[in-house]
Every structure is written in C-alpha cells, then in structure tokens.
Amino acid sequence: MALVLYCVVSTATLPFANVLWLGELPVIAVLQLPKLLLAEWLRTDVVMPAIKGLGLSSGAFSPDYTTARPYALVVAYLLPIVTVLVTAAVRSRMASPYRLWSCLLLFAAALDCLLTLKLKLPGLSIY
C-alpha cells in the first residue's frame, strides 16, 4: 500500500515539481528523490557498464549516459516492486486484497515511470 501511495503522489506532483522553490531547492521535486537516487546510481554503476560489456557502447560517456536513462529508471522501479510482489505471493498466495493491491501497484508504477521519462520542465531537470 505504501508503494502504491508513493507512486500516486509522485505521479500527481510531477507536473508541479518546478512550481514551489525554497531558495535553490525545488520542494516538490524532493518527493522524486527515492526513485531518482537509485536510478542515477543504477545508470552510472550498473547499466552503463552493462552497455559497455555487451559491446553496445558508443565509446563516449554522454551518449551512453543518455542511452542508459530509461533502462536504469525501469530497473529502479522493478527492484522494490518485484520484491514486494514476490513477498506477497509467497506469504499470501495472492489472496483477493493482495491481488488488487498488486495490480494497483503495477499500474501506478508504470504510469509514474512513463511520466518521469516524458516530463520536461523548464529550468529543472528531474531525471
């Protein structure tokens, strides 16, 4: 339930991330940090080396960094979601309320991921 709530709040606040600033800090954008810090680490330390290891690297940092963007974000969503879903499946055999929450989580996470990738804010780069 907490992950569903986080994804819904994250999705709802994405368009307004550039509205409220406290000095140099975009306050609403702080809500995006849990997913984006993990995604950024995955991007530079996992996905980019994987691109290089698979022989798909362009040989320069910037193109590889851009290529790794969507893959790292998807993995950043999948890690906690798969953990929660596997735990729920093992512990509850996906009884009725857990099945509903699992479907809601998948829908909310997919929507949040797509909007995070598509969002372009003037003067602020979320991811």
Side-chain angles (χ1 to χ4, degrees):
M1 185 169 130
L3 280 177
V4 173
L5 182 62
Y6 173 75
C7 288
V8 168
V9 169
S10 176
T11 301
T13 58
L14 267 172
F16 308 105
N18 200 20
V19 173
L20 181 61
W21 288 71
L22 186 61
E24 296 284 322
L25 178 70
V27 178
I28 298 174
V30 172
L31 295 171
Q32 309 300 324
L33 284 179
K35 67 181 177 192
L36 297 180
L37 291 176
L38 176 60
E40 193 58 40
W41 174 77
L42 287 167
R43 186 181 198 179
T44 55
D45 291 355
V46 177
V47 177
M48 287 177 66
I51 289 171
K52 190 173 191 174
L54 292 169
L56 301 173
S57 175
S58 67
F61 179 85
S62 185
D64 290 351
Y65 189 75
T66 302
T67 301
R69 179 179 182 256
Y71 301 107
L73 189 62
V74 168
V75 172
Y77 276 93
L78 287 178
L79 285 173
I81 289 171
V82 167
T83 303
V84 167
L85 293 179
V86 167
T87 303
V90 169
R91 295 200 53 158
S92 70
R93 303 286 185 237
M94 282 299 179
S96 184
Y98 298 103
R99 200 173 317 121
L100 173 65
W101 282 109
S102 297
C103 291
L104 288 172
L105 175 59
L106 291 173
F107 176 75
L111 182 63
D112 189 36
C113 184
L114 290 172
L115 289 178
T116 300
L117 286 173
K118 296 293 181 191
L119 185 70
K120 305 283 188 233
L121 294 171
L124 178 66
S125 174
I126 295 284
Y127 179 71

